[in-house]
């Protein structure tokens, strides 16, 4: 009886030990897994923190610089260009007394706009040279020379006006200049100059056309575009002169849009 009890006790003990060992193993594995999970989570948080610290802060993009506002065009400078055109028209009509009067006014306008012209000594020197030439050509009633020099005055002024704020774009004045150039070189039968003027007319018109259209000038823009094409197709001095008159008339209409 004691032997049997001992046997049963030992077997029971063995089972218990076996079960206990198995449970301990499971428990150990569970503890190990838990520890690994904890370590992994800790490492992940650490990596995330390190990543956040390592990432540079993204600064907001700087605001674009404000557009530079042009100064209003000086009236005295505009007067110089107007008097140049007046001299052109007077010489074309053979009104030499009027041409002389406008030249005097041109000289006065240049004096009062001295500060403006001094910003561009090269242009100022050109204007002074043209005024000296006009003094001579008007005195001699030299039509062609007077018209050419007077028109160059309007060109220089249109170039200077481009750096100022104007009601009418400076390019419109340039188109006016080109129209007069077609008259001058058509009369002189200078085909090379006529082609050169036609190219400048196209370039200037392509630049200012969007502004004309944006001022309710779709119809006028269409007419002027057709005139430019006609000038580009012209082959004779007579056709250039005829188109020059139409160009000048149409420029007057473009000016009124602004």
């Amino acid at each position: 009886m004691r032997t049997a009890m001992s046997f049963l006790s030992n077997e029971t003990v063995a089972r218990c030990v076996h079960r206990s060992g198995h449970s301990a193993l499971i428990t150990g594995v569970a503890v190990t897994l838990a520890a690994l999970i904890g370590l992994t989570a800790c490492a992940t948080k650490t990596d995330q923190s390190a990543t956040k610290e390592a990432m540079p802060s993204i600064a907001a993009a700087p605001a674009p610089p404000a557009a530079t506002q042009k100064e209003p065009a000086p009236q005295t400078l505009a007067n110089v260009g107007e008097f140049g055109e007046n001299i052109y028209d007077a010489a074309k009509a053979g009104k030499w007394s009027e041409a002389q009067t406008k030249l005097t006014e041109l000289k006065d306008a240049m004096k009062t706009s001295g500060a403006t012209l001094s910003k561009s000594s090269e242009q100022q020197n050109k204007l002074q040279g043209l005024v000296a030439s006009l003094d001579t050509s008007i005195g001699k009633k030299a039509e062609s020379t007077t018209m050419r020099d007077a028109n160059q005055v309007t060109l220089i002024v249109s170039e200077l006006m481009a750096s100022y704020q104007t009601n009418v774009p400076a390019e419109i004045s340039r188109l006016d200049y080109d129209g007069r150039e077609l008259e001058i070189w058509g009369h002189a039968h200078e085909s090379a100059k006529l082609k050169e003027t036609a190219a400048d007319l196209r370039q200037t018109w392509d630049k200012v056309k969007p502004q004309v259209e944006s001022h309710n000038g779709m119809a006028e823009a269409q007419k002027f575009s057709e005139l430019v094409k006609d000038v580009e197709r012209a082959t004779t001095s007579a056709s250039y002169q005829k188109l020059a008159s139409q160009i000048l008339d149409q420029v007057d209409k473009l000016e009124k849009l602004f």
Side-chain angles (χ1 to χ4, degrees):
M1 185 71 177
R2 186 179 295 175
T3 303
M5 288 293 293
S6 298
F7 173 76
L8 290 174
S9 297
N10 291 337
E11 182 180 10
T12 301
V13 170
R15 288 177 179 174
C16 289
V17 170
H18 177 72
R19 290 176 180 173
S20 298
H22 185 67
S23 299
L25 178 60
I26 292 173
T27 302
V29 171
V31 170
T32 301
L33 289 174
L36 288 173
I37 292 170
L39 288 173
T40 302
C42 182
T44 300
K45 290 181 179 180
T46 301
D47 290 343
Q48 290 176 345
S49 298
T51 301
K52 289 180 179 180
E53 292 177 1
M55 288 179 63
S57 58
I58 301 175
T68 303
Q69 184 68 34
K70 292 182 178 180
E71 297 179 12
Q75 184 58 47
T76 52
L77 181 59
N79 290 342
V80 172
E82 183 179 351
F83 293 139
E85 185 174 350
N86 293 156
I87 293 170
Y88 177 95
D89 291 337
K92 179 181 175 181
K95 298 179 180 180
W96 295 107
S97 178
E98 182 179 337
Q100 187 63 60
T101 299
K102 293 300 178 182
L103 178 60
T104 300
E105 292 178 340
L106 172 59
K107 291 177 181 178
D108 291 340
M110 284 184 61
K111 289 178 182 178
T112 54
S113 62
T116 300
L117 293 175
S118 64
K119 295 179 181 179
S120 178
S121 58
E122 181 182 356
Q123 303 289 49
Q124 184 180 32
N125 290 337
K126 287 181 179 179
L127 280 173
Q128 289 173 345
L130 289 169
V131 168
S133 180
L134 285 168
D135 250 334
T136 301
S137 62
I138 290 175
K140 293 181 178 180
K141 299 181 181 181
E143 179 182 330
S144 297
T145 302
T146 301
M147 290 171 66
R148 286 200 299 268
D149 288 345
N151 204 32
Q152 287 301 307
V153 170
T154 68
L155 172 62
I156 292 174
V157 171
S158 71
E159 292 174 342
L160 291 172
M161 294 287 276
S163 62
Y164 293 97
Q165 179 183 346
T166 57
N167 293 329
V168 179
E171 290 83 5
I172 299 295
S173 297
R174 179 89 178 207
L175 294 175
D176 216 15
Y177 159 81
D178 283 330
R180 291 188 290 270
E181 285 290 281
L182 291 175
E183 279 189 331
I184 292 169
W185 302 118
H187 182 72
H189 305 285
E190 290 282 354
S191 59
K193 286 289 188 180
L194 287 167
K195 291 294 184 183
E196 182 181 323
T197 302
D200 189 74
L201 183 71
R202 163 60 69 185
Q203 182 178 359
T204 305
W205 173 239
D206 286 346
K207 185 176 181 181
V208 76
K209 180 182 177 182
Q211 295 183 62
V212 172
E213 293 176 335
S214 67
H215 281 73
N216 298 319
M218 294 297 295
E220 300 301 338
Q222 181 61 36
K223 292 178 183 178
F224 202 87
S225 293
E226 291 301 322
L227 284 174
V228 173
K229 291 179 182 178
D230 290 339
V231 170
E232 291 173 327
R233 290 191 291 259
T235 56
T236 67
S237 295
S239 60
Y240 278 113
Q241 291 183 70
K242 181 179 179 181
L243 287 167
S245 178
Q246 296 177 43
I247 288 286
L248 293 172
D249 288 343
Q250 192 62 24
V251 168
D252 289 340
K253 295 178 181 179
L254 295 181
E255 290 175 340
K256 293 177 182 179
L257 295 173
F258 297 89

